[in-house]
Amino acid sequence: MNITYYGHSCFGVEIEGKHLLFDPFISQNPLAAGINADEVKADFILVSHGHFDHIADAVSIAKRTGATVISTWEIHEWLQKQGVTNSRPMNIGGKWMTSFGKVKCVNAVHSSSLPDGSYGGNPMGFIIESPAGSFYYAGDTALTMDMKLIGEYRKIDFAFLPIGDNFTMGIDNAIIACDFIGCANIIGMHYNTFGYIVIDENEARNSFSRAGKKLTLMKVGETITKP
Ligand code: NI
Ligand code: MN
């Protein structure tokens, strides 16, 4: 399992030759200026919610690649209006067994409107289970007691958690989330892109390590194997 960071909350995860792309926000992200959205690979695009910093490049990448876009019913309908034909509507609590493994939608405590103001349904996170490993992609969310259900549902190998505060959990709550989800191996996301969510990266890593947990902060464009 290879993980590539495209900035903000956008990651590519390659599972046995299948490319999953989470929350594509590349062409409008100055921190991702070195990434060409027209070259990013995708067989599946998973969109956690409708905010522009999670969906900005979804339509163009879906049309170019023919990838299946996985999101809420409301975002599915919006994507169809934008001319995206290959879209899988899901909702919280549902799971889908597909070619790379299983995707399960879980609760996120946040909001979700689309760039044109349309209602995006409830924001979601995803649990991915595959022969190569299992992980949780939280999307934009506050710390929530529902995360304890994730810890009880599956043993996950690592998790993508937002750590930038202001719009989502910050570092302090992300450390608590580790205990709720039963996983101490975290890749941070949703930080530094905007002035509201700037963090001190060293302090963030130190806070995790003082709590006996590991925070990986990837460089934009960097690819790692499963942390
Ligand atoms: Ni958001
Ligand atoms: Mn966001």
Side-chain angles (χ1 to χ4, degrees), residues 1-4 11-12 158 160 187 218 222-224 226-227:
M1 187 181 285
N2 292 316
I3 299 156
T4 302
F11 293 87
F158 66 97
F160 298 95
I187 297 177
M218 294 176 64
E222 183 186 10
T223 298
I224 60 173
K226 195 169 70 172

Side-chain angles (χ1 to χ4, degrees), residues 11-205:
F11 293 87
V13 179
E14 185 192 348
I15 299 174
E16 293 176 342
K18 298 281 181 198
H19 290 88
L20 282 61
L21 181 66
F22 290 85
D23 283 6
F25 172 63
I26 298 165
S27 60
Q28 297 176 33
N29 180 4
L31 299 186
I35 307 292
N36 184 353
D38 295 331
E39 291 175 355
V40 170
K41 289 181 183 165
D43 298 300
F44 295 87
I45 301 170
L46 296 93
V47 178
S48 65
H49 65 295
H51 290 157
F52 76 100
D53 57 320
H54 300 262
I55 202 170
D57 293 303
V59 170
S60 63
I61 296 174
K63 286 182 178 172
R64 173 175 56 82
T65 59
T68 305
V69 187
I70 301 172
S71 195
T72 60
W73 176 262
E74 291 81 2
I75 292 174
H76 158 79
E77 287 195 309
W78 183 85
L79 288 166
Q80 291 195 316
K81 284 181 195 152
Q82 319 302 313
V84 173
T85 50
N86 189 8
S87 172
R88 170 79 181 201
M90 295 187 70
N91 213 328
I92 295 165
K95 61 181 179 302
W96 179 35
M97 193 72 200
T98 183
S99 57
F100 62 80
K102 197 193 289 180
V103 52
K104 183 176 173 70
C105 302
V106 296
N107 196 28
V109 175
H110 192 63
S111 58
S112 180
S113 51
L114 287 148
D116 61 6
S118 312
Y119 170 60
N122 288 310
M124 307 196 293
F126 302 104
I127 299 172
I128 304 298
E129 292 174 68
S130 82
S134 301
F135 64 90
Y136 166 48
Y137 178 91
D140 278 7
T141 184
L143 178 67
T144 162
M145 293 295 276
D146 283 1
M147 288 172 180
K148 292 192 174 185
L149 296 173
I150 296 168
E152 289 174 14
Y153 172 71
R154 274 297 172 276
K155 182 84 197 107
I156 50 172
D157 301 311
F158 66 97
F160 298 95
L161 296 182
I163 57 168
D165 222 317
N166 195 81
F167 299 115
T168 67
M169 293 189 287
I171 291 144
D172 48 352
N173 279 182
I175 287 169
I176 297 170
C178 291
D179 293 330
F180 285 11
I181 63 177
C183 176
N185 193 8
I186 303 304
I187 297 177
M189 62 181 183
H190 213 272
Y191 64 93
N192 284 357
T193 317
F194 316 113
Y196 298 115
I197 58 172
V198 170
I199 66 162
D200 180 328
E201 295 189 21
N202 282 331
E203 180 50 31
R205 273 187 288 258

